[in-house]
Amino acid sequence: MGKLEDMILLVAVVDAGGLAAAGRRMNLSPATMTARLKALEERYQTRFFNRSTRAIALTRSGEEFYYAALRVLEEVELAESKLMQKEGILSGTLRIAAPSDFGRQYLSPALLDFSRIHPEVKSSLYLSEDVVDLISLRLDMSIRFGNLPDSNLVTKVIRQNHRVLVASPAYLAVHQEPASVDELDEHRCLVMERRGTLMNEWRFEVEGETRSVRVTPAMVCNDGALLRQWVLAGAGIASKSWWDVKRDVEQGRLKVLLADSFIGFSRHDKKQVGLQFVYPQRRFQPLQVSMFSEFFINWLDNE
């Protein structure tokens, strides 16, 4: 096998989490995968993986080769994409991660429209409330809410955004709308959980000072789309990003509460929190990535 095939093989094993899973993706038998990996290690006179009966992990040499291979394969893909673009065809891969609720409401339909215009672009969409690692997951971009701490990632603002507390008219018909932060104790609060951590420390600005209130969750979930459905069903009060509930508020399905004082549920939150694309640092951004970024920002103008 050639050097490029070596790189493709190693990257496939890492991304799939093992030889057997990578073999299924590449339509190769376990015996063939084992033989090819052995030949790869013999060629470079080093061990790339530490293998056990349950797991496979990169050695230090393997990790260095893996990230170098990613850069090479990215350059190959970029070169192929440029050749196709000379023919007037946009191509390549587009791998995006986004929060669940925003991804379903906005990104998914926009991606469908983009794919109809550019059918040669192979799109992948991953929805999760977690802050994903763009490099290890080989993502071209993600969409994130919130003010990001210092990082070496590249960002592009999509829209202005802020956090809101919302409840349905049906819920407020039974439970009197809270007139102050202190009255939240009397209400059913619906709370997000991220990686085992409850997002129940809600932050407010009261008389010029920041105040944190730890609410008692009536219901908890780890999916923003589900949390929104609970609020719409009248289950209680929840904290959401404005763009997640914008349509619901404008159409009267939800009402914003304590709008003048609520900030959010993260120590990074301010009165305005970001809604942005986040990209890994690259010398070149593939054309399909930059074109979709602009397409999506323009697409939101019609929403």
Side-chain angles (χ1 to χ4, degrees), residues 259-280:
D260 293 336
S261 59
F262 184 64
I263 299 174
F265 52 72
S266 166
R267 61 188 177 87
H268 298 296
D269 284 348
K270 301 174 183 176
K271 281 289 189 179
Q272 289 292 321
V273 297
L275 168 56
Q276 60 255 316
F277 283 121
V278 181
Y279 312 92

Side-chain angles (χ1 to χ4, degrees), residues 171 187-193 198-200 202 215-223 226-239:
Y171 175 84
H187 286 269
R188 290 174 55 83
C189 296
L190 313 177
V191 172
M192 280 285 296
E193 180 180 311
L198 291 174
M199 314 303 289
N200 66 328
W202 293 355
V215 299
T216 301
M219 298 177 73
V220 175
C221 71
N222 67 345
D223 182 279
L226 177 58
L227 187 70
R228 177 169 151 268
Q229 290 304 313
W230 285 352
V231 183
L232 288 167
I237 297 173
S239 168

Side-chain angles (χ1 to χ4, degrees), residues 179-196:
S180 69
V181 172
D182 295 321
E183 293 183 12
L184 286 173
D185 285 341
E186 304 169 14
H187 286 269
R188 290 174 55 83
C189 296
L190 313 177
V191 172
M192 280 285 296
E193 180 180 311
R194 288 180 179 168
R195 296 188 176 184

Side-chain angles (χ1 to χ4, degrees), residues 33 35 71 88 94 97 122 126 131 146 154 171 173-174 180 217 285 300-301:
M33 291 295 296
R71 291 193 294 271
L94 182 61
K122 299 177 179 63
Y126 304 91
V131 176
V154 179
Y171 175 84
V174 177
S180 69
Q285 189 174 85
L300 280 180
D301 288 338

Side-chain angles (χ1 to χ4, degrees), residues 3-28 33 36-37 40 49 56 58 62 65-67 69-70 73 95 136 138:
K3 293 182 179 180
L4 191 60
E5 287 77 10
D6 287 343
M7 294 179 183
I8 293 171
L9 176 73
L10 184 132
V11 168
V13 173
V14 175
D15 290 353
L19 282 172
R24 287 191 292 270
R25 292 184 184 183
M26 301 175 72
N27 199 28
L28 296 173
M33 291 295 296
R36 285 187 57 177
L37 180 57
L40 173 63
F49 294 99
I56 185 168
L58 286 166
F65 189 85
Y66 170 73
Y67 285 110
L70 285 180
L73 294 176
R95 294 167 57 86
S136 64
R138 298 179 64 199

